[in-house]
Amino acid sequence: MMLKQWIRMGTAAAVLALSWPAVGEEKVTLNFANADIEGVVKAVGQITGRNFLIDPRVKGTINLVSASPVPSSVAYDVLLSALRLQGFTAVEADGVTKIVPEAEAKLQGGALIGKGRARGDRVLTQVFVLKYETANLVLPMIRPLVTANNSVVASTTSNALVVTDYGDNLRRLEKIIAEIDQPGASVPYLIAVRYASVIDIAQTLNKLFADAAGGGAGGDRMQRVTIVPDLRTNSLIVRSDNAGYVERVRSLVQSLDRETSVAGNIHVVYLKNAEATRVAQTLRNVLGGDSGAATAPASTTAAFSSNAAGGGNANTTTPAASTAQSVVTTTSGGGMIQADSASNALIITAPEAVYNNLRAIIEKLDVRRAQVHVEALIVEVTADKAAEFGIQWQGLSGINSAGNNAIGGTNFGDRGTGANIIDVASNIGTVGTGLNVGVVRGKITLPGVGTVLNLGMLARVLEADSNANILSTPNLLTLDNEEAKIVIGQNVPFITGQYAQTGSTVTATPFQTIERKDVGLTLKIKPQISEGGSVRLQIFQEVSSIQDKTNSAGVITNKRSIESTVLVDDGQIIALGGLVQDSVTEGIDKVPLVGDIPVIGSLFKSETRKRSKTNLMVFLRPAIFRDAKAYAEMTDQRYRYVIGEQQKVVPGRHLILPEMEGPQLQMSPTPAKPAADAKAN
């Protein structure tokens, strides 16, 4: 049975013939000549039962001809091939097949398929997980094989390639990637060393193959070589994809690994980070089993002999002449260790077996020590508020006919403060601060006093507010397990004793003893870094200031100190302690009975009120610097801050005065190194 349909759109003609065989899948005969794309898609949709959604940008005609009937399932694939020739493709999503321009297909959510399922001219997405190679290295090889309108992306976290392309091309890429993603041809080689130290040989070879060890030749894998010493077996582990490198390393090791004719070899080991005298003392303890011996003086050469026959540590010290360099000599088990502090080197005389063991210890001890930057934040906020109100009276009279005079009144406040009516009457210039209102009736002469103002009444009103906001941030940078101290303040003299010789015929010769003490801010710390990244800090923090210098007994100082041991995480802030104080004082001076009378009593009394609030807190923030980059960033930040502050205080231009430029720091604390030096380092 045959069914024919004619589709005519404009001048295009299309003929579609369908036939249903008696047994098996139905077949169709395709015959489209210059047919409109939309019409062909509708016809294929009727055959396959698919729902198509055509993008408005899909326009044009296609030619689709089949010489013999084809299964209806193939009609869809034939349509996709014809659309691809016109720059269009199909994207299947949610039961709908979208016909879109090829460039838009990767953005329309195409199907994600697994391994071995890619086929046809549909745009699909497949994830290729690499086992051996790195995705970033395979990406440049795969990108040219993907069509221009599709994409390939490398995922470094999962070491995979995400490719969106036509199914047939994905199947081809799958085979190519499988050939590329193969285990490396190189395997580790073990080269035994009999006489020399594997550490020394490894250092020498790594210097010779420095470019190859760093990847050389733009990161070419064939140019890489890795050399690692194995201390337990005294062997070298060598790995390289280039067999020539392996043979060259093997030949060099054989040339260097020669037995020497001297029974006790002398080796010089230059330390990079550790202190030679301390390492020498540690090695002496390891060889001699002595854990409590003290380090020899810095300017003395000492020899320690271990009595192996007695099974104990019978150490004898033989002083030698003082030398210009610091040398510590240790003799134990037939070996000798000297520490030269001038060059920070160890001189070891020992058999090869003993020396190799010592080198293994030295390599673990001679490591870069981490540093700790501690920033202390001392915040002090104080607020003082005082108020005073009082009225004082005074009545003075001259000498009468009987030779008598009279005086009376009320006076409040301490003498000498300018708040007492008697002080003001004697000297008007001593009147205290605030609003002072008085009644003066001329002057009067008092016996034994002289002429004073006849001040009959003095009223005082005063209110004072005082606020302070102080922030101090002392900073310290020190090595792990090394104590550091910073003092910022004044060195103030304190009188501890005095003596003066007096007499009618002898001139006085005063004598004083003085002790000087630091007054200001003191921070002393000793950090210890744990493996988890936290810092144990032994802290002594002190803030002191001078309160009064007029006291006859000596200088009065304020002191606030904290001494503690805390555990802080790297970069976190911890509150060490502080003071939160709020005090209110009130004072009333009044005339008995009269001062208690309502309203009128205010004329016969003086009131003062004062409130003081103090908030003092001390915080601490340690930061661990394990490499040069960490402290370089902090140093550069502080350096630029100081430069900015210097620029703010530069004197401006003046019409008469000459221009003066203040001192300026360099623009960068770490100037860029020349290219040759940078490469050498």
Side-chain angles (χ1 to χ4, degrees), residues 304-387:
F304 301 92
S305 300
S306 176
N307 188 359
N313 296 327
N315 294 339
T316 59
T317 304
T318 304
S322 177
T323 58
Q325 60 182 4
S326 172
V327 178
V328 177
T329 306
T330 300
T331 303
S332 180
M336 184 174 62
I337 303 172
Q338 293 181 338
D340 182 18
S341 61
S343 59
N344 196 38
L346 295 174
I347 304 174
I348 302 176
T349 303
E352 289 297 330
V354 177
Y355 171 71
N356 292 335
N357 292 331
L358 293 177
R359 281 306 308 267
I361 299 175
I362 294 172
E363 287 297 317
K364 296 183 182 299
L365 296 178
D366 188 26
V367 295
R368 182 187 180 96
R369 296 171 62 185
Q371 300 182 93
V372 179
H373 176 258
V374 179
E375 182 179 9
L377 309 174
I378 305 173
V379 184
E380 182 175 0
V381 180
T382 60
D384 295 336
K385 186 175 183 180

Side-chain angles (χ1 to χ4, degrees), residues 11-71:
T11 60
V15 178
L16 173 63
L18 291 84
S19 64
W20 286 268
V23 180
E25 186 180 0
E26 61 182 19
K27 293 187 177 182
V28 295
T29 300
L30 304 177
N31 187 11
F32 296 93
N34 294 326
D36 186 77
I37 293 178
E38 183 176 355
V40 176
V41 171
K42 289 181 180 180
V44 175
Q46 292 179 1
I47 298 172
T48 60
R50 290 179 176 270
N51 297 320
F52 288 96
L53 183 62
I54 303 176
D55 191 285
R57 291 170 291 182
V58 177
K59 302 291 184 182
T61 60
I62 58 176
N63 295 311
L64 189 59
V65 178
S66 60
S68 60
V70 296

Side-chain angles (χ1 to χ4, degrees), residues 188-194 198 201 205 227-228 230 233-238 245-254 257:
Y189 292 91
L190 192 66
I191 303 176
V193 179
R194 297 182 57 188
V198 290
I201 293 181
L205 295 178
I227 303 172
V228 179
D230 181 47
T233 61
N234 200 47
S235 304
L236 290 175
I237 302 175
V238 182
Y245 274 144
V246 177
E247 292 302 323
R248 289 168 61 186
V249 171
R250 190 191 304 274
S251 176
L252 287 173
V253 171
Q254 292 177 354
D257 187 25

Side-chain angles (χ1 to χ4, degrees), residues 3 21 69 74 124 181 232 236 247 281 334 434 452 480 506 509 541 592 644:
L3 174 63
V74 181
L124 304 171
D181 188 28
R232 188 180 65 86
L236 290 175
E247 292 302 323
Q281 182 64 29
V452 298
D480 183 24
V506 180
T509 56
Q541 172 84 52

